[in-house]
Structures are given as C-alpha cells and as structure tokens.
Amino acid sequence: MNAPEPSRPLADWTEANQRALVAEFSRLKLLLGKPAVEPAPAEVRALATGMTTAIDSLTDLFGLSAFERDLLLLAAGAEMDSEIATLCAAAHGAAQRAWASFGLAMAILPEPHWSALTPVRPLRRWQLLNVDETAGLTQGRIRIDERVLHHLAGSSFLDRRLQPLLTLVPEPTLMADSQRILAGDIASTLAQGGSASLVQISGPDAHGRRDVAAEVATQLRMPLYAISSEEVPANASEIEALATLWEREASLQNALLLIEC
C-alpha cells in the first residue's frame, strides 16, 4: 500500500509513518553499538500499529528480504539521521566514512546474504540503492535513491528524471456514452489482473483516446501519466533505463501510463 488508508487522514498517516521510521532507526543504532538508553524500538513502533508504513509497502512491492529491508533502512538512516552516520563512521574506523557500506551491513544486520547486491536482486534491479564500486563492492559507499528516500519519509512525487517526459492527465469532463462504456470495460479487465496489463486504444480522435484512458484511470482510482511516442528513446539501453524508472514509479504511485502515438 503506497498511501494512507481511506479511513486514516493523510496527516495522521504521515505522522505515524515518521514515528515508525524513527523506531526503525533506533533499532539500527542498537545494532551499530549505541547503548540502549531510549525506549525500546518495539515500543516506539507500536505507535504505528494498524497502518502500512512506507518501508513495509516497499518491502512488499519489490519483494525485499529482511536483510535487504534493513540494508535499505541503513542507507536511508545514514542520509537522514546524523547519529547513524556518526555510528557508521565509528564502525568503519574512519571519520570520513560516515555512510553505509555493504561490508558494514553484512557485519551488523541479521540474516545477511551476499546476493542482496547482485544486479538481479530488487535493490539494484529497481535502483533502490546505488553502490560506489570504485572502492569495491563491500567497502564502497551505498546511497539510497533520492526518489526512494523521499518515499520512505512519506512524500510522493514523480521522479525528477521522468518529469520532463511525462504529463499528469486530468479526469475527463465531457465524454460520449460509448467512450465511457469502453472505459468501463477496460477498467474491469485491468482490475481482474492477470496478464492484461497492456491495452491498445485505437481510433482517429487523439483527444478521445486520451479521455478513455483518463476515465479508465479514474474508475480504477489511479493516477494517469502520458508520454508522447516521440519522447520514447530509440536506443535499447535508454529504453531499458526508462522502462525501469517507469515500472518503479508505477509501483510506488500505483499509476498507469498512456503512450500517445
């Protein structure tokens, strides 16, 4: 779940999510060697009982293991909490290394596994983390992607790399009955899941095609973004990079994409 439940106001969810994140950071500080002088993390985290936190939604969306979840939190903590950064530097034995590394994570986090940073695992497959490999995979600095960092903190917005390419499509105002019926059929098919994730909307009227897509998104309660086919790169590696960014964004926002030809 990427947003607060309808029964929980946004402000309440944001505050509870922040408290849960603080609790996660407190737990990491204990693993990094800080004396237990604060409330137990479990007690603090109980404040968020009954809601889905951003880190929990990320874990479910991308299939993270418990170790990968903690590794992502450690990288986030080093960026958001100066005390975690200081503890990382102490653990590395170098004041200038106030950041997370894979070697440090393997040493302090429960259930470590080497495969966590392989290119095929979620952390790097979906670019949740980036590794500075100039110092080696275990010693290099691990950075959490900025978009993912803000998502953990409870802020949701379109990835800045996609902003020049995508346009948020508003809800349609006037539609023909036939278009609305078509949109309902498409929405019903998509709602059933399965392999029907790609739909072609044909017809001579570009505005009509966009309205149908927008109505589908409205019925599914999902945001719809549009991209011109002319903006889709021709180079295979650039297409793959764009597809990865969009698929990650679609998961984070539970969004749909309209490619306008």
Side-chain angles (χ1 to χ4, degrees):
M1 183 169 201
N2 308 321
E5 296 86 341
S7 60
R8 181 183 292 272
L10 177 60
D12 290 351
W13 180 87
T14 301
E15 181 181 357
N17 181 73
Q18 186 63 34
R19 291 183 179 183
L21 194 58
V22 169
E24 297 286 7
F25 289 166
S26 296
R27 178 175 59 85
L28 291 176
K29 290 173 187 177
L30 296 178
L31 293 173
L32 283 164
K34 180 182 178 179
V37 295
E38 299 179 348
E43 295 175 5
V44 180
R45 199 173 192 283
L47 296 171
T49 299
M51 50 86 67
T52 303
T53 63
I55 182 59
D56 289 337
S57 73
L58 274 173
T59 300
D60 292 340
L61 283 171
F62 298 106
L64 303 182
S65 68
F67 174 66
E68 289 166 339
R69 180 184 188 277
D70 279 350
L71 180 53
L72 189 65
L73 284 168
L74 181 63
E79 298 283 351
M80 300 174 71
D81 190 315
S82 60
E83 190 173 12
I84 288 183
T86 300
L87 290 168
C88 286
H92 285 131
Q96 70 275 19
R97 299 182 64 193
W99 30 260
S101 70
F102 190 46
L104 175 60
M106 292 283 286
I108 69 161
L109 297 180
E111 304 177 46
H113 57 94
W114 179 261
S115 62
L117 282 193
T118 57
V120 296
R121 289 293 301 171
L123 291 178
R124 293 180 70 188
R125 164 70 179 86
W126 297 109
Q127 299 179 22
L128 307 181
L129 292 178
N130 298 297
V131 186
D132 179 9
E133 296 185 59
T134 58
L137 189 61
T138 59
Q139 299 303 313
R141 181 173 185 170
I142 292 179
R143 287 184 180 273
I144 184 172
D145 183 85
E146 181 183 0
R147 171 69 177 91
V148 178
L149 180 66
H150 289 301
H151 181 83
L152 282 181
S155 299
S156 183
F157 55 86
L158 185 65
D159 191 295
R160 59 182 176 81
R161 289 161 290 189
L162 295 174
Q163 289 175 8
L165 303 174
L166 305 185
T167 302
L168 184 63
V169 180
E171 182 178 346
T173 53
L174 296 175
M175 289 185 66
D177 290 341
S178 59
Q179 291 177 324
R180 202 173 298 278
I181 292 172
L182 174 60
D185 290 341
I186 295 174
S188 177
T189 300
L190 291 176
Q192 293 174 9
S195 59
S197 59
L198 181 65
V199 176
Q200 181 179 8
I201 304 174
S202 59
D205 182 5
H207 293 292
R209 296 196 299 269
R210 175 178 275 221
D211 284 346
V212 169
E215 178 63 18
V216 170
T218 298
Q219 292 190 25
L220 294 175
R221 298 183 179 180
M222 301 170 68
L224 173 69
Y225 291 93
I227 183 174
S228 169
S229 59
E230 297 177 356
E231 296 288 350
V232 178
N235 181 277
S237 61
E238 293 178 348
I239 291 177
E240 182 179 5
L242 176 60
T244 297
L245 272 181
W246 167 252
E247 288 180 42
R248 188 184 75 178
E249 190 66 34
S251 296
L252 293 177
Q253 288 200 47
N254 195 26
L256 296 174
L257 179 66
L258 172 65
I259 302 176
E260 297 186 301
C261 302

